[in-house]
Amino acid sequence: MEVVRAGALTTVQDLGRPGHAHLGVPHSGALDLPAHRLANRLAGNAPAAATLETTVDGVALRATGPVSAVVTFVVTGAPCPVRVDGRPAAWGAPVRVPAGSVLEVGPARSGVRSYVAVRGGFDVPAVLGSRSADLLSGLGPEPLRAGRVLAVGPPVGPALAADVLPVPAPPSEVVLPLVPGPRADWFEAGALGALAGARYVVSPASNRIGLRTQGPAVRRARGGELPSEGMVLGAVQVPPDGLPVVFLADHPVTGGYPVIGVVPAGSLPAAAQARPGTPLRFAVTTRYE
């Protein structure tokens, strides 16, 4: 596959590289895992096959190979127009593309990130067991650039069709459950309640590392920094400006600022699809689901 238009930020992603945090290696992987898995399932791939994660304005790919070759794509995640050689094609369903044709994944109509699976998976070299691009540590393939050629692996199963897709719409408001701890005692009494009652919006500074927020600052009772300690996916760290940051897939594994709570992983795909300016609230809970 040849990259015709790379878009604002398109990376190769899979299920990530868990189990290396003790070496300072982030988990990485697709931010919207349900959308990644769905694209692979419809393409007839294993869940761990690599897909492309686009950001806001899509990507364009040219199918290369023998004249008789046919490539099958599936696009999921943020809803967007899909075209083949300028003609409309299906979103959320297998699209067969003959060699030489261009698949255009257009700008997201809502949400942020779309996922492009190809039957056989994108076959880039694995690093520590994963083909994911990690933008913080630099592991894995670099973000796509126009002219790059991506290999495709051998098919492992037939492409599927579905009448109905169980895909939640990108959020118009994000409500993130927040399990308190482990450093809630570093904040003023009532800080958790104030956080739960506050209204935030998603900051334009958000990226694959973290969902940053704009709104009222969370007040700390203790100054200074902590010795570096491990961070889990979904940890909500509060830097000196008091504005919570929800750690996403490329987050650092250590940090000196206190973590007031953790957003369960099941709620993070909605965070990954939240555009800047989207209203955001935290709902304090004691259940990690």
Side-chain angles (χ1 to χ4, degrees):
M1 305 305 305
E2 178 187 359
V3 179
V4 177
R5 183 180 65 83
L9 176 65
T10 301
T11 59
V12 179
Q13 297 294 339
D14 58 16
L15 301 181
R17 47 180 67 85
H20 301 290
H22 64 294
L23 301 175
V25 177
H27 186 288
S28 195
L31 289 189
D32 187 345
L33 279 173
H36 163 87
R37 292 177 186 273
L38 177 62
N40 271 332
R41 188 160 68 248
L42 292 172
N45 296 335
T51 65
L52 300 183
E53 179 183 276
T54 72
T55 307
V56 179
D57 69 344
V59 68
L61 305 168
R62 177 180 288 110
T64 60
V67 174
S68 59
V70 174
V71 181
T72 301
F73 292 96
V74 176
V75 182
T76 64
C80 60
V82 179
R83 295 181 178 274
V84 175
D85 292 337
R87 295 187 295 275
W91 176 95
V95 176
R96 289 166 58 84
V97 176
S101 294
V102 174
L103 174 80
E104 174 72 27
V105 179
R109 293 189 175 114
S110 59
V112 176
R113 296 173 171 92
S114 299
Y115 291 83
V116 184
V118 60
R119 186 170 176 241
F122 291 96
D123 190 14
V124 301
V127 178
L128 296 176
S130 171
R131 295 183 168 87
S132 286
D134 177 349
L135 302 185
L136 185 64
S137 67
L139 294 176
E142 294 182 351
L144 299 193
R145 297 180 184 278
R148 181 173 178 180
V149 176
L150 298 169
V152 175
V156 297
L160 305 176
D163 294 330
V164 178
L165 296 180
V167 181
S172 56
E173 180 184 24
V174 179
V175 180
L176 297 177
L178 180 73
V179 181
R183 297 295 181 187
D185 59 331
W186 275 57
F187 299 90
E188 289 184 352
L192 269 172
L195 177 63
R199 297 291 186 268
Y200 293 90
V201 297
V202 175
S203 166
S206 301
N207 52 28
R208 283 186 47 84
I209 296 171
L211 182 79
R212 296 182 178 275
T213 62
Q214 295 175 330
V218 179
R219 296 186 178 278
R220 286 174 51 171
R222 299 172 60 177
E225 295 186 7
L226 289 158
S228 291
E229 54 188 3
M231 299 291 166
V232 299
L233 188 65
V236 179
Q237 193 178 62
V238 181
D241 63 7
L243 299 180
V245 180
V246 183
F247 279 170
L248 301 178
D250 286 358
H251 72 83
V253 293
T254 59
Y257 306 134
V259 170
I260 195 170
V262 177
V263 175
S267 297
L268 295 179
Q273 294 290 6
R275 291 190 168 202
T278 300
L280 183 153
R281 292 187 291 118
F282 292 97
V284 177
T285 178
T286 57
R287 301 180 63 180
Y288 190 95
E289 295 177 338

